[in-house]
């Protein structure tokens, strides 16, 4: 969620760290800061608001030095302010931190009683005090002091620490919050996400739970909390730094909508065998005996990934004839779920670091369920936690906070999994599998058709931009699309929007309909199509403004809408991959018309790695 960047080596570090923080702006933040060990010792500068505010301070007061850490903060404890911005420092020790320290109040009270004075409201400042105390008490080095401090902390963290006593070192540690170490030539890098350091190195190691790293110009040493050494070779990042650039688009979100045909094609490539009517799922421990013995599949996810899971339920139940439950991970983890060895738990997450989803996987595994994952980030925490393996979506980096290509690649991956389960369970013939996979093969080209129709959403966008509320309706496979369309709109335009099952309209939402309300209806040809047309008539009869997404060639549905957007007549299970695209464009253009921050909407972050 928050951004961390660190550097130790021969170069002046401020510009390098600030450049890395710029690459992490997509994660959402409310303040920024930097700490450097220079000729005069430790210096810290912090500023509330955008990174440019910090840059202005640095122009007035330069910070020379070759060891430093930087941070962009998203508030969890303490309001956004200069004082609460990271890094936090105490007696020559500076710390940046992502996560939440659950026992910080008890530790703060204990430290205050011992004479410590705090300068912020944050839980993070606890680290600086504990580490400084450990050094004062005779810890042999900074790594030992950090290890001593961590032994007293309960919660989640990804931290970077520097100290005046060890000017050529950074110590990093991880527990349930992402952290990556970069290996350079005579220099080392630290970041919470790869884009921050990709300009400088492609050789990285992802820290595992409960690990520490000592970064020096000469290299990196890994160890566990109890001091045991860890040996792990760096891995090479294959995707280009250019992939994190806007490539001529006004916003990252717009670029990522356009990338969906390529992303879906990459996700499917090499996995769908039309010749054999089967699917090859690399990385999943899935065989016929296990698949036939399953009683149920439980999908755990949050936000957009939960909507993908709802579509995945339709796919898996239709093609594999396996009952599926779709659970909000935040709810699943906080009750006593009925899962066991004959229930497969499937975690769906773009980042692979979503805290609630990771916790849900751990709950399921503790009850004997095997866990699989669908995610976009190799080496992520959820991918590592899932004992059944991970199906990676190959979407590439997604910078915009409002997810687009992650959603459609998740749908493609879920469809592949549905076909595979159907074949293993003996309920899907090779002929039917070939037919299903043939449809999936056409999705990227159908998506290209949808993208070429971008301008058609503008009349709807102008109407919705002036509205206070917008209602999205869909049935069957289009109901999750209605939910996702509403989420996209409210995420980036700040307009209240609701996605609703069209069959439930008479059970409440119909009371909202008047001459001011735009209603976006997913009216593609699939089961209960005629009933959806009836919903459109009911909205029109009450003066509501009907805008629709309809199947190509359907003049009847189009005639019931003020503006109709057409989608290719794809098989119903695959239609959501197409019908979501005009809704993504709708949300994007409404937000652009309103002048909101499309890529970094207020109060949101790309990966929710704290509870």
């Amino acid at each position: 969620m928050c951004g961390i960047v660190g550097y130790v080596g021969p170069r002046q570090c401020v510009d390098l760290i600030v450049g890395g923080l710029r690459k992490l702006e997509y994660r959402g933040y409310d303040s920024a800061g930097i700490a450097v060990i220079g000729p005069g010792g430790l210096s810290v500068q912090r500023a509330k608001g955008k990174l440019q505010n910090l840059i202005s301070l640095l122009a007035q007061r330069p910070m020379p030095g070759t060891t430093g850490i930087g941070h962009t903060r998203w508030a969890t404890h303490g309001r956004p302010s200069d004082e609460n911005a990271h890094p936090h420092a105490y007696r020559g020790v500076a710390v940046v931190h992502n996560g939440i320290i659950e026992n910080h109040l008890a530790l703060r009270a204990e430290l205050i009683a011992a004479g410590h004075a705090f300068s912020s409201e944050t839980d993070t400042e606890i680290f600086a005090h504990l580490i400084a105390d450990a050094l004062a008490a005779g810890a042999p080095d900074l790594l030992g002091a950090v290890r001593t401090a961590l032994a007293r902390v309960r919660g989640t963290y990804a931290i970077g620490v520097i100290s005046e006593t060890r000017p050529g070192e950074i110590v990093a540690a991880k527990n349930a919050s992402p952290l990556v170490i970069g290996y350079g030539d005579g220099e080392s890098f630290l970041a919470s996400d790869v884009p921050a350091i990709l300009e400088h190195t492609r050789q990285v190691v992802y820290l595992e739970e409960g690990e520490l790293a000592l970064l020096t110009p000469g290299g990196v040493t890994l160890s566990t909390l109890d001091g045991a050494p860890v040996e792990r070779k760096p891995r090479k990042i294959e995707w280009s730094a250019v992939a994190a650039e806007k490539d001529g688009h006004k916003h990252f979100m717009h670029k990522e909508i356009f990338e969906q045909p390529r992303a879906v094609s990459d996700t499917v490539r090499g996995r769908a065998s039309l010749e054999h009517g089967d699917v090859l799922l690399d990385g999943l421990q899935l065989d016929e005996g296990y698949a036939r013995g399953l009683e149920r599949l439980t999908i755990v996810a949050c936000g957009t990934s939960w909507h993908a899971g709802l579509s995945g339920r339709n796919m898996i139940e239709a093609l594999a004839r396996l009952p599926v439950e779709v659970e909000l991970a935040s709810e699943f983890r906080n009750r006593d779920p009925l899962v066991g060895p004959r229930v497969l738990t499937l975690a769906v997450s773009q980042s692979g670091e979503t805290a609630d989803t990771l916790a849900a996987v751990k709950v399921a595994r503790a009850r004997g369920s095997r866990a699989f994952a669908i995610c976009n980030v190799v080496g992520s925490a959820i991918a590592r936690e899932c004992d059944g393996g991970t199906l990676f979506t190959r979407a590439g980096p997604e910078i915009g906070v409002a997810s687009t290509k992650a959603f459609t690649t998740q749908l493609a991956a879920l469809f592949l999994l549905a076909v595979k389960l159907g074949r293993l369970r003996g309920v899907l013939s090779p002929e039917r599998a070939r037919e299903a996979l043939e449809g999936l093969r056409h999705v990227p080209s159908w998506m290209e058709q949808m993208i070429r129709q971008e301008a058609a959403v503008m009349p709807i966008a102008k109407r919705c931009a002036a509205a206070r509320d917008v209602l999205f309706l869909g049935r069957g496979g289009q109901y999750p699309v209605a939910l996702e369309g509403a989420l996209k709109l409210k995420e980036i335009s700040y307009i209240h929007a609701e996605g609703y099952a069209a069959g439930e309209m008479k059970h409440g939402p119909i009371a909202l309909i008047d001459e001011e309300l735009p209603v976006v209806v997913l009216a593609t040809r699939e089961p209960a199509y005629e009933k959806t047309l009836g919903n459109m008539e009911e909205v029109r009869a009450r003066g509501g403004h009907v805008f629709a997404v309809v199947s190509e060639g359907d003049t009847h549905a189009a005639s019931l809408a003020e503006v109709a957007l057409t989608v290719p007549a794809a098989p119903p299970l695959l239609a959501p991959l197409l019908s979501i695209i005009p809704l993504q464009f709708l949300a994007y253009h409404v937000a652009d018309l309103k002048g909101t921050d499309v890529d970094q909407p207020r109060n949101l972050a790309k990966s929710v790695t704290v509870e």
Side-chain angles (χ1 to χ4, degrees):
M1 178 172 289
C2 309
I4 288 175
V5 182
Y7 173 80
V8 56
R11 293 192 262 177
Q12 292 295 310
C13 66
V14 167
D15 287 347
L16 187 150
I17 291 171
V18 168
L21 293 177
R22 280 197 183 280
K23 298 289 190 353
L24 298 181
E25 285 189 290
Y26 67 91
R27 296 170 70 93
Y29 67 101
D30 53 52
S31 56
I34 188 168
V36 174
I37 305 292
L42 176 69
S43 56
V44 178
Q45 293 196 51
R46 304 174 294 178
K48 177 184 173 183
K50 292 294 186 181
L51 189 57
Q52 186 57 47
N53 296 341
L54 175 64
I55 293 170
S56 297
L57 284 178
L58 292 169
Q60 299 169 24
R61 299 194 296 273
M63 299 172 69
T66 59
T67 300
I69 49 177
H71 193 267
T72 48
R73 175 183 188 251
W74 190 81
T76 54
H77 288 84
R79 70 193 187 284
S81 67
D82 290 354
E83 295 76 19
N84 288 332
H86 297 211
H88 289 284
Y90 185 74
R91 294 180 182 172
V93 172
V95 180
V96 291
H97 166 228
N98 293 347
I100 293 176
I101 303 308
E102 296 171 2
N103 60 335
H104 78 101
L105 291 176
L107 290 172
R108 178 184 286 255
E110 178 185 327
L111 289 164
I112 289 173
H116 289 245
F118 285 81
S119 59
S120 77
E121 304 167 289
T122 70
D123 55 340
T124 298
E125 193 179 350
I126 294 291
F127 276 119
H129 289 250
L130 292 175
I131 295 166
D133 271 7
L135 287 170
D141 51 30
L142 183 58
L143 182 64
V146 172
R147 187 172 280 122
T148 298
L150 292 176
R152 304 195 59 196
V153 165
R154 187 176 69 252
T156 62
Y157 54 80
I159 62 170
V161 185
I162 58 176
S163 170
E164 289 179 336
T165 64
R166 312 287 289 199
E169 296 180 356
I170 300 175
V171 173
K174 175 201 184 323
N175 180 44
S177 204
L179 209 53
V180 60
I181 309 298
Y183 291 66
D185 184 9
E187 55 190 359
S188 299
F189 305 86
L190 173 68
S192 51
D193 205 355
V194 169
I197 58 176
L198 194 56
E199 178 184 350
H200 308 289
T201 181
R202 292 179 179 274
Q203 299 296 322
V204 305
V205 159
Y206 292 90
L207 284 190
E208 301 276 4
E209 303 301 328
E211 288 184 349
L212 294 89
L214 173 63
L215 287 72
T216 69
V220 177
T221 303
L222 305 179
S223 59
T224 63
L225 279 171
D226 60 8
V230 173
E231 296 293 333
R232 189 180 308 124
K233 291 182 179 179
R235 67 191 316 161
K236 185 177 181 181
I237 298 298
E238 298 293 346
W239 44 272
S240 165
V242 176
E245 301 295 335
K246 292 179 183 175
D247 196 27
H249 294 263
K250 186 175 181 180
H251 299 96
F252 282 114
M253 181 182 177
H254 192 259
K255 172 177 177 275
E256 288 155 7
I257 293 173
F258 273 70
E259 289 175 341
Q260 288 177 111
R262 188 273 308 158
V264 169
S265 180
D266 285 351
T267 298
V268 174
R269 182 178 295 115
R271 291 168 168 166
S273 173
L274 291 175
E275 179 183 356
H276 298 99
D278 204 354
V279 170
L280 309 172
L281 295 184
D282 49 312
L284 290 189
Q285 299 172 25
L286 190 58
D287 57 40
E288 183 176 333
Y290 176 72
R292 287 178 179 267
L294 287 172
E295 294 179 348
R296 189 173 78 250
L297 186 149
T298 297
I299 296 174
V300 292
C302 299
T304 286
S305 296
W306 183 68
H307 298 157
L310 292 173
S311 281
R313 175 176 62 191
N314 297 335
M315 298 170 180
I316 294 166
E317 290 189 343
L319 297 175
R321 307 309 297 160
L322 178 65
V324 178
E325 294 177 341
V326 186
E327 300 267 8
L328 287 166
S330 55
E331 292 296 313
F332 179 88
R333 63 172 295 195
N334 289 319
R335 57 185 177 83
D336 189 13
L338 298 175
V339 296
R342 299 187 69 183
V343 176
L344 169 61
T345 299
L346 176 63
V348 183
S349 168
Q350 186 280 137
S351 66
E353 302 287 349
T354 309
D356 284 320
T357 306
L358 178 60
V361 169
K362 292 179 179 179
V363 168
R365 289 193 62 194
R367 285 159 174 75
S369 174
R370 184 183 289 184
F372 289 7
I374 291 175
C375 80
N376 189 41
V377 181
V378 176
S380 60
I382 290 172
R384 296 195 304 271
E385 182 67 27
C386 287
D387 57 330
T390 300
L391 179 56
F392 292 105
T393 53
R394 302 173 181 166
E398 187 177 66
I399 307 302
V401 167
S403 186
T404 52
K405 62 179 178 175
F407 177 71
T408 47
T409 53
Q410 286 169 355
L411 294 184
L414 284 160
F415 192 84
L416 290 170
L417 178 61
V419 173
K420 185 63 176 179
L421 284 169
R423 296 289 290 118
L424 289 173
R425 289 169 58 80
V427 299
L428 188 66
S429 68
E431 293 73 26
R432 286 189 60 216
R434 273 194 289 270
E435 182 183 350
L437 294 172
E438 181 66 26
L440 182 59
R441 187 174 70 86
H442 280 94
V443 165
S445 61
W446 286 332
M447 286 179 144
E448 294 281 6
Q449 289 180 237
M450 298 303 306
I451 288 170
R452 288 194 292 269
Q453 298 177 38
E454 176 184 5
V457 308
M458 290 308 299
I460 310 177
K462 290 174 182 176
R463 178 65 185 81
C464 290
R468 187 181 65 181
D469 308 282
V470 180
L471 183 63
F472 290 75
L473 298 176
R475 288 177 185 266
Q478 296 298 342
Y479 169 50
V481 179
L483 293 173
E484 176 64 8
L487 177 62
K488 289 283 95 63
L489 185 64
K490 57 190 166 191
E491 276 183 318
I492 62 173
S493 75
Y494 316 144
I495 292 172
H496 172 252
E498 289 288 343
Y500 236 87
E504 294 294 296
M505 190 179 79
K506 291 181 181 178
H507 297 272
I510 198 168
L512 298 173
I513 296 172
D514 59 18
E515 295 80 359
E516 301 300 319
L517 183 71
V519 181
V520 180
V521 183
L522 284 302
T524 54
R525 287 193 181 276
E526 51 183 82
Y529 162 75
E530 290 81 6
K531 290 181 170 37
T532 302
L533 298 185
N535 292 128
M536 296 169 72
E537 295 278 21
E538 289 165 347
V539 173
R540 281 159 47 96
R542 287 157 179 80
H545 298 274
V546 178
F547 305 105
V549 177
V550 305
S551 297
E552 199 170 33
D554 186 355
T555 56
H556 185 189
S559 70
L560 300 179
E562 294 180 23
V563 179
L565 308 172
T566 61
V567 298
L573 291 177
L574 293 170
L577 285 97
L578 308 178
S579 55
I580 189 56
I581 292 178
L583 303 192
Q584 292 170 344
F585 276 131
L586 174 62
Y588 171 79
H589 284 292
V590 170
D592 195 37
L593 286 168
K594 293 190 67 179
T596 59
D597 194 336
V598 171
D599 288 330
Q600 299 168 49
R602 69 189 182 202
N603 301 333
L604 293 178
K606 185 63 182 172
S607 303
V608 183
T609 57
V610 297
E611 300 170 23

